Amino acid sequence: MDCNTCNNKAVIKLQHGALCKNHFINYFEDKVFKTINKFQLIQRNDKICVATSGGKDSLTVLYLTKKYLQKYNYPNTEVFALAVDEGIKNYREKTLEDLKLFCKNQEIPLHIISNKEEFSTTLDEAYPKINKDTNKKPCNICGVWRRYLLNKHARKRGATKIITGHNLDDEAQVIIMNMFKANTSLAGRIGPKSGIEEHGSFVQRVKPLYFCPEKEVRLYTILKGWQIQFTECPYSHTGFRHDVQEMLNDMEQKYPGTKQGIINSFLSLMPLLKETEKGEPEMIKSCQSCSEPANQEICNACKMKEMMKN
Amino acid sequence: MNLTIINERKQSKEQIIFEGTTLKELLKDLKINPETIIVTRNDEILLENDNLNDNDIITILSVISGG
């Protein structure tokens, strides 16, 4: 199959036609830059923290953030990478090695923080104990601690935005997960910009890869020639998300455009969901233990840390 | 035809005998959802309707990073 634009061999068949390597790279980068512009994800006076893991999504968004700032002439906008080492044996150390090398080559400052330093425990140590007391899945524990650490350490370093590598597949999954669990209040907080904008303790999270399917992201990294080791989190099959992911991939194969359709439907509804949220303002407090933002007296991160002491 | 299949996710390399012609048929035989992988042959990206040849070395790369 040939590219619809030139006659070179195609590397991907999209719904609107096939593209060769060069036309795909242009199409992909243009889509990311248009997302940043349309949703005003980056402003000129921002200090940007890119949440990174060393996987394909975060390396892509890190690279394209820097490229965007150069292309649109934002010489004073600072960028740094921030990674969380959760303490997952035979997994995270590999992706962090890729990340260190990538950041060195791209001349982007990298900061690594860890569960061990912050909570005095690794995820591997914490999961069996917290699961026994609360039945929480590893992804629940990991997610709470990771969001906590990213927000706290991005803010400490003066960041005004946290850029994440969430792609279209991730977002379609979370929309369906929230729908299945009737989490309509959470649904109001997702989208290309997420987090609570108005609260000073939260750094807003933004997602330039919002319209990029996971397959396109991987293809982009292959065509760019980045050496990324395939690594699989040992806990990845335990979560609800994994089942939703498989379901959506089956649906996409049978009915192309399913994931994009979910995103488009959500974006049509998003203004209504956010409006509903405004009617029920959530009181943001400061955690009595760590002073970080919390919706209860003690934040969830501290509650789980406390469980490890018992 | 004889094919060598390198599977990134399984970290495996195996020889198989394939009775079909295209990549699409191969993936159906292997019960792999094309949505979840990208296939290369000598660093060239293959699409589902590409024909395979005897003694091809096929690499199946995972789209899903298991994080």
Side-chain angles (χ1 to χ4, degrees), chain A residues 60 98 136 248:
Chain A
T60 298
D98 287 338
K136 279 185 192 296
L248 290 183

Side-chain angles (χ1 to χ4, degrees), chain A residues 23-87:
Chain A
H23 282 111
F24 169 74
I25 288 176
N26 290 342
Y27 154 84
F28 183 86
E29 292 183 353
D30 194 45
K31 181 159 60 172
V32 174
F33 297 161
K34 278 181 178 164
T35 303
I36 295 173
N37 288 335
K38 181 178 178 184
F39 293 94
Q40 299 178 319
L41 302 186
I42 296 175
Q43 267 87 43
R44 286 198 178 270
N45 53 354
D46 273 333
K47 181 169 184 178
I48 296 170
C49 166
V50 182
T52 48
S53 65
K56 67 181 191 313
D57 302 300
S58 64
L59 294 188
T60 298
V61 84
L62 184 59
Y63 174 81
L64 288 178
T65 298
K66 193 175 175 195
K67 188 163 184 174
Y68 175 90
L69 298 177
Q70 286 165 345
K71 181 181 164 96
Y72 288 88
N73 193 23
Y74 282 39
N76 300 320
T77 306
E78 285 179 59
V79 184
F80 66 92
L82 184 62
V84 176
D85 180 355
E86 303 92 344

